[in-house]
Amino acid sequence: MFENVAGPSTKHFRSSRGFEAFVSEKLAVVLDKCKISDRNAVHLLIATAEALGNNVNKLIINRSSIRSARIEFRKERAKKIRQDYNLANEETVVVHWDGKLLPALTGKGLVDRLPIVASVNGHEQLLGVPALNTGTGSDQANAVYQTLVEWCLTENVQAFCSDTTASNTGRLNGACVLLEQLLEREIVYLPCRHHIYEIVLKSVFDLKLNGTSGPDVAIFKRFQLAWVTMDTKMFNSGIENCIVMGSVNDVCDDIIKFSIDRLEENHPRDDYRELLELTFDAPSANKAPFQDLTFIKNLLNYIAIDKDTSQIAIKKFCGHLWYLSSELCGFAFFDEAVSIDTKRKMVKALNNEKSTSEMLLTTQRIIISPKNANELLEKEIEDFVCVKTNNLFKRFAINTDFLKLDPSTWRSNEDFQKSIVLLKKIPVINDVAERGVKLIEEYNDKITKDESQKQYLLQVVSDYRKKFPDHKKETLITSL
């Protein structure tokens, strides 16, 4: 009588719980690099496993398991990156940083993020992107110092590279001077040369176009809106204008060749490529002193053509003569644009206790009022050289035996050539920190809201991008 009464089933169903863990370190890093959340990773991995003919029921694929694996791999990978970053005592580090105001990971409000990057022999390493309470020089200096301690780099640091805002280069409370105090020794400043020339260009731009209070420049905005209505096949080259032709006729061929040569080079940032770099030689440390001295002289002479433009540009540039300091002018020894006769005078000046320039000379830059800038017309690069210039050679471990020889023989001297190669790798632009800013902007609201995991995330993604710079199969199949 009870045959048809419903009751518990006697059938046994096979469990669908997986038992094979398959998430590897490289897979975890790739998911991070591609900004794939844990939930989306479940969809992606199941579909991929099915497409490859795997029995999905055997695999451990669920959000919590994937999340746990990624957290652990991320932490261990970041730890390994730091452990493998071992420098010899003689290797010199240039420290870069650049701040950015971004939304906080949790809650409302904004925080200052400070990407910190070490540059050694042309190679860059992201050290961290700490969140600061404020963007003051003190907070920046403390954050950079603590990061250097964690990476055991305090003894290797020989130079700072940042923009020239007061929070960085202020005489009393700038991050650079406070960081020197924490390191308990003098460090040379290598202010970003792109930033310096951008300041000068902006001053002239604002003068000629009456500036702008918003993010958009009216004349450019109008051009952008009108672009769709223009017939881009019907245009005349600017060189056809008689005024333009008269200005560049003598150097037209040289300009074209120079531009083509620069376009063929690899540029990490498209905006700099589009402009053929802000100035073509700005990234070169060796060219910096002579270039800056020549530039300020050209600005002074330009007063006969356009007084207002000359004066506003001189006013801005006089506050940024960093590369004419008694130490950094030593880069000019390796500049091919400096004549052999001038280099002979520079060698002789190395014995002078003070430079022959009568301008106020601080440890890091020369100070001159725009009203007295005409004094620079009478100066040559050797006037800034003195015994303190030797500090540059010591700082970057440059063998100075070539100085005992006549400059006419330097180009065939092995020590001199090695020094050129070494100094070409000394960064005087802050692009590496700007790439750090771009990285935190991309990942600030991705993957995790935990601060420690965020730092690990930035480390592993930065490292992955260096190891796998393109999307070619032969590149991607290599081990992590």
Side-chain angles (χ1 to χ4, degrees):
M1 61 184 292
F2 298 103
E3 289 181 356
N4 295 323
V5 176
S9 174
T10 59
K11 294 182 179 180
H12 297 281
F13 293 97
R14 286 178 56 187
S15 173
S16 62
R17 183 179 293 275
F19 54 86
E20 291 184 8
F22 69 97
V23 177
S24 66
E25 181 184 45
K26 186 173 182 179
L27 177 56
V29 173
V30 169
L31 292 174
D32 284 348
K33 186 267 180 187
C34 296
K35 308 184 185 77
I36 298 173
S37 69
D38 296 326
R39 287 186 173 85
N40 286 338
V42 175
H43 293 274
L44 178 64
L45 295 177
I46 287 179
T48 303
E50 289 176 340
L52 293 174
N54 290 282
N55 184 348
V56 178
N57 289 327
K58 293 182 179 181
L59 304 177
I60 301 176
I61 307 181
N62 58 75
R63 191 189 70 83
S64 61
S65 296
I66 291 172
R67 178 176 181 274
S68 297
R70 293 176 72 178
I71 286 174
E72 187 62 26
F73 279 129
R74 198 179 291 138
K75 179 179 179 180
E76 292 302 312
R77 182 64 189 169
K79 182 179 178 180
K80 185 177 186 301
I81 291 171
R82 182 177 298 187
Q83 289 175 340
D84 291 346
Y85 194 68
N86 296 317
L87 300 182
N89 292 333
E90 67 274 9
E91 290 187 279
T92 59
V93 171
V94 178
V95 182
H96 305 252
W97 65 86
D98 191 12
K100 183 69 175 181
L101 203 61
L102 293 172
L105 296 185
T106 57
K108 298 181 179 180
L110 301 174
V111 297
D112 280 285
R113 285 285 178 177
L114 190 72
I116 304 169
V117 182
S119 179
V120 183
N121 294 325
H123 301 286
E124 62 189 72
Q125 175 62 52
L126 179 69
L127 303 181
V129 190
L132 310 184
N133 293 325
T134 69
T136 63
S138 177
D139 278 359
Q140 291 187 67
N142 288 326
V144 174
Y145 179 73
Q146 184 58 44
T147 302
L148 293 173
V149 170
E150 292 171 358
W151 284 75
C152 302
L153 295 177
T154 54
E155 298 302 316
N156 296 84
V157 175
Q158 291 294 341
F160 303 146
C161 186
S162 65
D163 62 34
T164 61
T165 57
S167 64
N168 286 327
T169 60
R171 186 172 60 88
L172 298 177
N173 296 310
C176 290
V177 69
L178 295 177
L179 193 50
E180 280 185 291
Q181 294 171 11
L182 291 169
L183 292 169
E184 298 182 336
R185 68 180 189 279
E186 185 178 296
I187 306 294
V188 73
Y189 302 176
L190 300 175
C192 177
R193 292 181 58 70
H194 280 159
H195 183 255
I196 291 172
Y197 278 84
E198 284 168 359
I199 291 172
V200 178
L201 285 172
K202 185 179 185 303
S203 69
V204 175
F205 183 89
D206 290 345
L207 172 69
K208 294 300 182 181
L209 295 178
N210 299 319
T212 177
S213 58
D216 296 323
V217 179
I219 189 172
F220 294 159
K221 191 67 177 179
R222 289 198 300 271
F223 181 74
Q224 180 187 39
L225 294 174
W227 179 256
V228 294
T229 65
M230 296 181 182
D231 185 350
T232 56
K233 295 181 180 180
M234 296 291 293
F235 66 92
N236 293 325
S237 170
I239 199 69
E240 296 179 25
N241 182 283
C242 60
I243 298 176
V244 174
M245 172 58 78
S247 300
V248 302
N249 187 48
D250 293 339
V251 293
C252 184
D253 292 339
D254 291 337
I255 292 173
I256 293 172
K257 182 180 184 303
F258 194 81
S259 299
I260 291 174
D261 289 344
R262 288 303 183 275
L263 281 170
E264 291 176 350
E265 295 179 0
N266 178 42
H267 297 283
R269 287 184 50 175
D270 289 340
D271 54 343
Y272 287 148
R273 178 179 173 80
E274 290 168 3
L275 290 171
L276 292 176
E277 303 291 354
L278 180 59
T279 55
F280 299 121
D281 292 326
S284 172
N286 294 344
K287 294 178 180 294
F290 187 65
Q291 182 189 41
D292 285 1
L293 182 59
T294 302
F295 182 61
I296 190 89
K297 287 183 177 181
N298 288 339
L299 291 179
L300 289 164
N301 289 325
Y302 195 70
I303 197 169
I305 301 173
D306 188 332
K307 182 179 179 180
D308 291 340
T309 296
S310 173
Q311 288 181 336
I312 193 68
I314 290 169
K315 180 180 179 181
K316 291 296 182 181
F317 200 55
C318 278
H320 294 87
L321 299 176
W322 304 87
Y323 291 89
L324 292 177
S325 69
S326 56
E327 181 168 341
L328 294 188
C329 68
F331 282 127
F333 280 93
F334 308 92
D335 184 357
E336 293 182 355
V338 177
S339 70
I340 290 175
D341 184 55
T342 297
K343 288 180 179 179
R344 291 190 181 109
K345 296 176 182 177
M346 291 170 67
V347 172
K348 186 177 180 180
L350 282 171
N351 296 317
N352 297 336
E353 286 299 320
K354 296 182 180 179
S355 68
T356 57
S357 172
E358 296 178 355
M359 297 164 215
L360 177 59
L361 184 62
T362 68
T363 302
Q364 301 293 352
R365 59 173 167 167
I366 67 169
I367 305 296
I368 185 171
S369 167
K371 295 179 180 180
N372 300 324
N374 278 327
E375 296 176 16
L376 290 166
L377 289 171
E378 306 301 322
K379 300 298 179 183
E380 302 299 335
I381 198 66
E382 65 267 21
D383 294 322
F384 301 92
V385 177
C386 64
V387 68
K388 291 183 180 179
T389 308
N390 289 289
N391 293 340
L392 181 76
F393 308 137
K394 297 175 183 177
R395 186 179 301 279
F396 294 108
I398 295 172
N399 188 325
T400 57
D401 286 347
F402 70 88
L403 292 172
K404 301 174 184 177
L405 307 173
D406 187 79
S408 62
T409 67
W410 287 358
R411 294 188 66 179
S412 60
N413 182 271
E414 184 178 355
D415 290 333
F416 182 75
Q417 291 301 323
K418 287 181 179 178
S419 298
I420 289 180
V421 172
L422 185 151
L423 292 177
K424 279 184 176 180
K425 297 177 181 178
I426 301 297
V428 291
I429 55 175
N430 206 27
D431 285 19
V432 296
E434 291 175 8
R435 285 193 284 276
V437 169
K438 177 64 174 176
L439 182 67
I440 183 60
E441 285 180 323
E442 286 185 52
Y443 289 87
N444 190 56
D445 62 347
K446 301 294 190 300
I447 310 298
T448 179
K449 293 184 179 297
D450 179 82
E451 182 61 34
S452 295
Q453 282 291 313
K454 184 67 71 177
Q455 296 300 321
Y456 300 150
L457 171 69
L458 298 172
Q459 286 287 348
V460 299
V461 171
S462 176
D463 181 69
Y464 183 90
R465 287 178 172 180
K466 287 189 291 185
K467 286 182 167 60
F468 304 94
D470 55 52
H471 301 89
K472 296 178 182 178
K473 183 177 180 180
E474 56 267 30
T475 301
L476 298 177
I477 60 176
T478 57
S479 62
L480 189 61

